[in-house]
Amino acid sequence: MTQTNTIRVLVAKPGLDGHDRGAKVIARALRDAGMEVIYTGLRQTPEQIVEAAIQEDVDAIGLSILSGAHNFLFPKVVELLKKEGADDILVIGGGVIPDEDIPGLKEAGIAEIFTPGTPTSRIVEFIKENVKH
Amino acid sequence: MDLIQSVLNGEKRGIAKMITLIEKNAPEAIEALKQIYQHTGKAAIIGITGPPGSGKSSLVNQLTKKIRSEDKKVGIIAIDPTSPFTGGALLGDRIRMQELALDQGVFIRSMGSRGALGGLSRASYDAAKVLDAAGMDYVIIETVGVGQSEIDIVKLADIVALVLIPGMGDEVQAIKAGVMEIGDVFVVNKADKDGANRVVTEIEMMLDLNTEKDAARPPVIKTIATTGEGIDELNEHIKKYWHQIANSNELAKRRKERIRSELISITEDHILNQILSDKSSKIDSMVKDIYEKKIDPYSAMELLIAPEK
């Protein structure tokens, strides 16, 4: 029987801001690129995100945040994934993130940060090139 | 194999990885399924089906909370449609199940329908076995939002709850064939909306017309999934129905029918795949011959399945 390798991505909104237009645009773009996107809704804790990622066995997690709490919440997700032995999952982030915060976030294990204005095709390419299958 | 042991221990990573193998059609999946089969059959498999937007995910959320209060473990498979054009899918059933996300007695897996048309996905049948073998007391399958004829859930579930809402059409809808025939329990959700009582009456009238005398009459339950109203009653009816079929030969009868259809379907798949992979060049030349009327399609088929000499 032929094997299929559909990429599965969890799109999650950690923290307390209620703006998920961006997350929905990304979810739609990934869907149109042939991926299965699991969208979990607003106001997720890092614990909820990691638990969902493990049960859904996703290849990547896309975190979207506009509240300014990225320096705390993004690294926390990576840390919890490590603790669960699931750090093979690619973590990327997006939202309103100042340039000076990006090096620190990458050092904390976020593979890439996409700020406003990034074409969705770049995000699709990045995921396709970097997920471990 | 540690994957098997991990599934049997109910470890979520093992369960998740095995379901992925099944979804990928990996050869290891079949070997693993052979090994867990002995451990399946204990869970009650509940199917939740109904039109898009009828509140299936919210009902699954509430029902699961209720079952958890009785300290039973729940595995959930939630299926959403896959795009026939791109193969992508947006799986959004978890949005309504956020309260369950950190409950260690609940495992939720979202699946794309991946080309299957009956409201389920191909992998959902085997994924249900994984959750069953992992020690779940209940496995709840939430189908794709269905129209009138997607009834594959009866091939997978022991109990089917059909969710309807007010405002979907007149009483003729209720006597049409298809999904209206598969409910073991009817749920009228969004019961605070106008017209809910009319939907209940229409379902009751349809049930009055059933002529099968010894079949149990399905209950019709009003719920409001957002507030949890009616969920106690739904849970009680599901439990009652489960005991009733488990203590008669009805459950065994249903499961044997399911096994028969599964055996036929996997045999079909296997033979078809074998022919397609072994004889693809032969098929190409046959297409040409059929087009040129050198042979007819039925004779070509007989040649195709004849054992090689």
Side-chain angles (χ1 to χ4, degrees), chain B residues 280-300:
Chain B
S280 65
S281 58
K282 206 168 169 187
I283 291 174
D284 289 342
S285 70
M286 277 177 169
V287 168
K288 192 167 162 281
D289 290 347
I290 297 168
Y291 178 75
E292 289 168 0
K293 305 279 187 298
K294 287 184 189 152
I295 189 170
D296 67 278
Y298 290 97
S299 309

Side-chain angles (χ1 to χ4, degrees), chain B residues 88-120:
Chain B
L90 189 70
L91 312 176
D93 292 317
R94 269 184 178 266
I95 298 171
R96 310 274 173 249
M97 303 181 196
Q98 287 194 15
E99 294 169 279
L100 308 172
L102 292 177
D103 186 334
Q104 292 303 308
V106 177
F107 185 100
I108 307 172
R109 182 65 173 241
S110 313
M111 286 188 162
S113 58
R114 299 198 183 183
L117 295 175
L120 298 175

Side-chain angles (χ1 to χ4, degrees), chain A residues 1-6 8 10 27-28 30-45 47-48 51-57 59 84-89 133, chain B residues 12-13 16-17 20 23-28 30 82-83 86-95 98-99 101-104 106-114 122 269-270 273:
Chain A
M1 208 177 283
T2 45
Q3 281 211 44
T4 50
N5 273 318
T6 307
R8 287 168 62 87
L10 182 78
R28 172 67 199 268
L30 301 182
R31 188 204 89 176
D32 288 344
M35 301 180 195
E36 280 182 355
V37 182
I38 295 120
Y39 183 52
T40 51
L42 297 169
R43 300 185 192 90
Q44 299 282 295
T45 64
E47 287 80 6
Q48 285 175 312
E51 186 68 37
I54 288 171
Q55 293 182 10
E56 299 288 356
D57 196 24
D59 305 292
E84 295 283 343
D87 47 344
D88 53 325
I89 299 175
H133 255 309
Chain B
K12 55 198 176 189
R13 280 224 92 182
K17 290 284 173 203
T20 301
E23 282 211 292
K24 284 187 173 165
N25 263 331
E28 306 97 285
I30 291 175
T82 294
S83 162
T86 66
L90 189 70
L91 312 176
D93 292 317
R94 269 184 178 266
I95 298 171
Q98 287 194 15
E99 294 169 279
L102 292 177
D103 186 334
Q104 292 303 308
V106 177
F107 185 100
I108 307 172
R109 182 65 173 241
S110 313
M111 286 188 162
S113 58
R114 299 198 183 183
R122 290 176 52 99
D269 284 352
H270 184 80
N273 280 312

